[in-house]
Amino acid sequence: MLIAILLLVVSQAGGQDTLAPFAPPTNIIAKDAPWDAGNKVIITWRPSIDKDSLAYYEIWRATPPFTKYERIGIIGSTDSLYEDHAILEDTVVIHEVTPGKQYRYKLRGVTPDGRFTILSEPSNIAIPRIQAFNIYRLNVLIAFILFTALFLYSIERSKRGFKFFIRRIPGLDALDEAVGRATEMGKPVLYSSGLNPIDSISTIASMCILGEVARKIARYESRLIVPNIDPIVMTVAQEVVKEAYLSEGKPHLYREDDVFFLAAQQFPYAAGISGIMVRERPATNLFIGYFYAESLILAEAGNMSGAIQVAATDAIMQLPFFVAACDYTIIGEELYAASAYLSGRPDLVATIKTEDWFKMILLILTYLGSIIVLLTKSNLFLTIFKVTGGS
Amino acid sequence: MRRRGPLTLAFIAGVAMIIQFFSPHPILRTVYTEALNWYRIISAFTFMLGLISLMRSHITKVTHKRAGWGYSIVTIVSFIVMTILGFTYGTGAGTPFDKMYEYVYAPLGATVFSLLAFYLASASFRAFRARNIDATILLVVAIIIMLGRVPVGSFIRWGRFSLPGLAEWIMAYPNMAAQRGLLIGIALGAICMSLKIILGIERSYLGRGG
């Protein structure tokens, strides 16, 4: 019994319940985080005059009637800002900030040996509010409105009969040659739309190109093989190819078995396509979409089989591999321009011009910004164009 | 209706996603999260379609004795075995399913991945042949980068300049500038493509409805 009492005294002497002769932080101010979903409160304070003797501060929070405070977090003794927001643990909310509710905060310092200061004076009452618009994204909104206006203007001009000039894209021009070669050799064309699912914009672009390619193949009465890694992409690809054969008046040539699900994972997919290249010996391989590390496996296997190869991707890291192993590589934004280029529809072609105009605007702003920042050393320009990420 | 229905859906969904990007309102956050959940649920169901497609294509290959039909038998048998093991013993750690995955499937995947080393060698050999000025520049830059990133490269110095420093400079400036140029183009292309789909100008992805 005596030992237990002694242990208790010793533990209290060096533990959390011992007061330290240091001052707590002062001037605690709590305010609603601006332009958010009303789920964050920002707390600021003036650090303790004894901050060098403290290890960290504890943040305590209370809701009406503000009689009971609970500890919600800790922060370094030299810091002077804390953000109180929801905390998730394995998707379960263990701490939250509710919009419209009143919150008050207190702080206290804790020494390296576990002693603590008294609690500070309470902060003002902060009420988090829901905002309808995130002002930090105003610059993105302005850019988006400008882009959309240019987009609609270019379409309107094309409707009035204006013909926009688009430079030649050799990779897309080569598609005719590639499909013709496959027809002459009596061999199929292989089309891979990459690894991304249908919610990826590059996969949607790939489906649009697939439609144009399938139309050419149907015209030449050749065979098209489309192995897929995603069942939704497979379903879309089946519809797109079927429609292409129908629109060319050759629905009897469409084989559903040729647009199929191959594998659900990267390397089985790559191995499966390599197998098709060796067994079926396609005369033309088209890799159009978003690719990862399997790009070189596919392109080299195709290269060894002697097929003519055209790749189109916006995966920057994979571009060198396709350039090295394919006959033609359609780079980056050309992937998105391809369906417009191939279809030749004036309204679609006009939209490509929007990108060029906007690129020019960005180029001017980049030069202007560089000059302003170099001459004035002001961060104002950078702040205006800063894009706030996340949600 | 067959055409207008999907286009209207694409328009509503696209506009809703644009609005939620600019608004932090919890209702729009919920709409966004729910849309993602729906996509996941639909994806899970479509795996059944993928499964049917996979089995049908391999069974057709076997019945018609097409080239490589033996591999199709391996695929069908593997599928049946893994399904039986999964349903009988579960898929947790230490189960036969898990062991098959760990000791058969994963090494096979790693084997295909390791082929990259050989393919890299053959692709580099073709890419780095000094056929013209562009290819020669590529060759020289590649040698600088490769040597600059291996330990022996740090011994190559000219006064204040070192090979790793030169390699770092190439990666940080000319290479990064080119990458950013491409990225800006890609971002604008993606926005343009999205607008075409939302406004129903690009319809070829809809297949028969388009």
Side-chain angles (χ1 to χ4, degrees), chain A residues 35-37 99 130-134 137 140-141 144 147-148 151-152 155 197-199 201 204-205 207-209 211-212 215 229-232 234-236 238-240 242-243 246 255-257 259-265 267-268 270-271 274 276 279-280 293-294 296-297 300-301 303-304 314-317 319 321 324-325 331-333 336-337 339-340 345 347-348 351-352 354-355 358-359 362 387-388 390-391, chain B residues 2 18-29 32 36 39 42-58 60-61 64 66-69 71-72 75 101 105 108-124 126-127 138 178-210:
Chain A
W35 313 110
D36 70 347
I130 296 171
Q131 302 294 326
F133 180 69
N134 183 352
R137 287 183 176 168
V140 181
L141 181 64
F144 179 71
F147 189 90
T148 310
F151 179 88
L152 296 173
I155 291 174
I198 200 70
D199 62 347
I201 195 77
I204 297 177
M207 289 298 109
C208 295
I209 299 167
E212 299 298 332
R215 239 170 246 130
I229 195 168
D230 185 284
I232 300 183
M234 177 198 77
T235 316
V236 175
Q238 282 175 342
E239 282 295 305
V240 166
K242 199 188 289 180
E243 159 61 16
L246 263 175
R255 290 164 60 172
E256 198 167 326
D257 285 349
V259 187
F260 56 97
F261 179 75
L262 182 63
Q265 287 189 337
F267 292 113
S274 302
I276 293 169
R279 286 191 298 274
E280 305 270 356
E294 77 293 342
L296 191 61
I297 296 175
E300 272 298 284
N303 192 290
M304 283 192 271
D314 54 347
I316 291 178
M317 301 304 283
L319 279 172
F321 301 130
I331 295 172
E333 67 191 296
Y336 300 110
S339 69
R345 270 175 53 193
D347 55 343
L348 288 179
T351 61
I352 301 173
T354 314
E355 294 174 40
F358 205 81
K359 228 181 282 175
L362 288 180
V387 176
T388 310
S391 54
Chain B
R2 181 159 190 168
I18 291 170
I19 293 172
Q20 72 80 30
F21 178 80
F22 293 107
S23 173
H25 202 285
I27 291 176
L28 291 165
R29 298 277 98 203
Y32 178 68
L36 289 184
Y39 177 76
I42 293 167
S43 297
F45 277 102
T46 54
F47 255 93
M48 195 50 82
L49 285 177
L51 194 65
I52 293 165
S53 168
L54 181 80
M55 283 299 109
R56 195 169 64 185
S57 85
H58 284 288
T60 311
K61 267 186 195 168
H64 290 84
R66 286 192 191 148
W69 62 275
Y71 300 116
S72 293
T75 308
Y101 187 90
Y105 184 85
L108 284 173
T111 307
V112 177
F113 184 45
S114 66
L115 285 176
L116 261 181
F118 302 101
Y119 285 148
L120 263 177
S122 60
S124 304
R126 272 201 311 280
L138 186 68
Q179 278 201 31
R180 284 183 179 159
L182 278 172
L183 277 173
I184 290 170
I186 289 168
L188 292 177
I191 296 168
C192 201
M193 188 79 195
S194 308
L195 276 175
K196 279 189 273 186
I197 290 165
I198 290 169
L199 298 175
I201 297 164
E202 176 67 84
R203 294 182 291 262
S204 46
Y205 70 98
L206 286 172
R208 271 186 288 182

Side-chain angles (χ1 to χ4, degrees), chain A residues 175-187 189 220 222 282-285 305-309 327:
Chain A
L175 279 176
D176 260 332
E177 178 202 333
V179 174
R181 181 174 180 262
T183 312
E184 279 171 16
M185 294 171 77
K187 289 181 174 176
V189 174
Y220 287 117
S222 197
T284 303
N285 296 328
S305 73
I308 185 167
Q309 304 200 103
D327 299 279

Side-chain angles (χ1 to χ4, degrees), chain B:
Chain B
M1 186 59 199
R2 181 159 190 168
R3 176 173 163 168
R4 204 175 291 169
L7 288 178
T8 311
L9 263 179
F11 178 78
I12 293 169
V15 170
M17 290 301 117
I18 291 170
I19 293 172
Q20 72 80 30
F21 178 80
F22 293 107
S23 173
H25 202 285
I27 291 176
L28 291 165
R29 298 277 98 203
T30 310
V31 168
Y32 178 68
T33 315
E34 282 303 310
L36 289 184
N37 287 341
W38 284 16
Y39 177 76
R40 284 193 200 106
I41 293 165
I42 293 167
S43 297
F45 277 102
T46 54
F47 255 93
M48 195 50 82
L49 285 177
L51 194 65
I52 293 165
S53 168
L54 181 80
M55 283 299 109
R56 195 169 64 185
S57 85
H58 284 288
I59 290 167
T60 311
K61 267 186 195 168
V62 174
T63 48
H64 290 84
K65 295 261 167 66
R66 286 192 191 148
W69 62 275
Y71 300 116
S72 293
I73 291 180
V74 175
T75 308
I76 294 165
V77 171
S78 306
F79 170 75
I80 293 168
V81 169
M82 290 299 272
T83 308
I84 291 170
L85 289 178
F87 277 111
T88 313
Y89 302 102
T91 56
T95 56
F97 181 93
D98 179 56
K99 287 203 166 99
M100 288 288 278
Y101 187 90
E102 200 175 333
Y103 298 116
V104 179
Y105 184 85
L108 284 173
T111 307
V112 177
F113 184 45
S114 66
L115 285 176
L116 261 181
F118 302 101
Y119 285 148
L120 263 177
S122 60
S124 304
F125 177 73
R126 272 201 311 280
F128 295 155
R129 269 183 296 186
R131 289 161 299 187
N132 50 39
I133 291 175
D134 292 348
T136 312
I137 293 170
L138 186 68
L139 173 66
V140 172
V141 172
I143 289 170
I144 293 169
I145 299 291
M146 284 190 283
L147 275 177
R149 297 205 157 188
V150 291
V152 72
S154 58
F155 294 106
I156 305 171
R157 291 180 170 277
W158 308 273
R160 284 173 56 212
F161 296 99
S162 67
L163 201 65
L166 183 60
E168 212 47 53
W169 183 85
I170 290 170
M171 293 304 288
Y173 295 98
N175 177 61
M176 188 57 77
Q179 278 201 31
R180 284 183 179 159
L182 278 172
L183 277 173
I184 290 170
I186 289 168
L188 292 177
I191 296 168
C192 201
M193 188 79 195
S194 308
L195 276 175
K196 279 189 273 186
I197 290 165
I198 290 169
L199 298 175
I201 297 164
E202 176 67 84
R203 294 182 291 262
S204 46
Y205 70 98
L206 286 172
R208 271 186 288 182

Side-chain angles (χ1 to χ4, degrees), chain A residues 23-305:
Chain A
T26 53
N27 200 24
I28 319 295
I29 297 167
K31 62 175 182 182
D32 172 30
W35 313 110
D36 70 347
N39 52 9
K40 193 193 285 181
V41 175
I42 297 171
I43 307 123
T44 55
W45 58 89
R46 191 175 297 144
S48 162
I49 50 169
D50 301 311
K51 63 177 185 244
D52 295 337
S53 307
L54 300 173
Y56 58 88
Y57 298 127
E58 287 179 349
I59 321 289
W60 294 66
R61 186 179 80 173
T63 48
F66 305 114
T67 48
K68 193 182 166 199
Y69 281 80
E70 59 169 334
R71 201 180 80 150
I72 57 164
I74 58 168
I75 195 160
S77 62
T78 52
D79 290 312
S80 57
L81 186 143
Y82 182 84
E83 289 184 348
D84 182 19
H85 53 76
I87 297 171
L88 293 173
E89 212 171 79
D90 294 332
T91 70
V92 178
V93 180
I94 56 165
H95 172 79
E96 64 181 336
V97 175
T98 313
K101 207 168 176 179
Q102 296 182 340
Y103 294 103
R104 256 185 154 156
Y105 298 86
K106 284 182 178 180
L107 272 77
R108 72 176 182 185
V110 181
T111 60
D113 59 359
R115 291 176 298 148
F116 59 89
T117 66
I118 55 165
L119 279 167
S120 66
E121 287 297 308
S123 70
N124 56 310
I125 294 171
I127 307 170
R129 303 260 182 227
I130 296 171
Q131 302 294 326
F133 180 69
N134 183 352
I135 198 83
Y136 298 121
R137 287 183 176 168
L138 182 64
N139 52 3
V140 181
L141 181 64
I142 292 169
F144 179 71
I145 290 169
L146 180 64
F147 189 90
T148 310
L150 286 173
F151 179 88
L152 296 173
Y153 171 70
S154 63
I155 291 174
E156 195 53 40
R157 270 189 89 182
S158 79
K159 278 184 185 165
R160 285 188 203 149
F162 188 85
K163 292 249 183 293
F164 287 103
F165 168 76
I166 301 289
R167 70 174 167 82
R168 283 187 60 241
I169 302 175
L172 294 175
D173 289 338
L175 279 176
D176 260 332
E177 178 202 333
V179 174
R181 181 174 180 262
T183 312
E184 279 171 16
M185 294 171 77
K187 289 181 174 176
V189 174
L190 186 132
Y191 189 103
S192 168
S193 59
L195 257 62
N196 273 4
I198 200 70
D199 62 347
S200 160
I201 195 77
S202 42
T203 307
I204 297 177
S206 176
M207 289 298 109
C208 295
I209 299 167
L210 174 64
E212 299 298 332
V213 169
R215 239 170 246 130
K216 281 185 205 297
I217 290 169
R219 213 172 300 145
Y220 287 117
E221 300 194 352
S222 197
R223 187 181 159 210
L224 174 65
I225 302 173
V226 190
N228 293 280
I229 195 168
D230 185 284
I232 300 183
V233 177
M234 177 198 77
T235 316
V236 175
Q238 282 175 342
E239 282 295 305
V240 166
V241 175
K242 199 188 289 180
E243 159 61 16
Y245 277 82
L246 263 175
S247 67
E248 289 299 319
K250 293 171 182 161
H252 57 284
L253 292 178
Y254 170 69
R255 290 164 60 172
E256 198 167 326
D257 285 349
D258 280 344
V259 187
F260 56 97
F261 179 75
L262 182 63
Q265 287 189 337
Q266 183 183 24
F267 292 113
Y269 180 72
I273 291 193
S274 302
I276 293 169
M277 285 169 179
V278 172
R279 286 191 298 274
E280 305 270 356
R281 294 263 161 199
T284 303
N285 296 328
L286 305 174
F287 307 114
I288 299 174
Y290 201 94
F291 294 85
Y292 297 84
E294 77 293 342
S295 64
L296 191 61
I297 296 175
L298 300 177
E300 272 298 284
N303 192 290
M304 283 192 271
S305 73

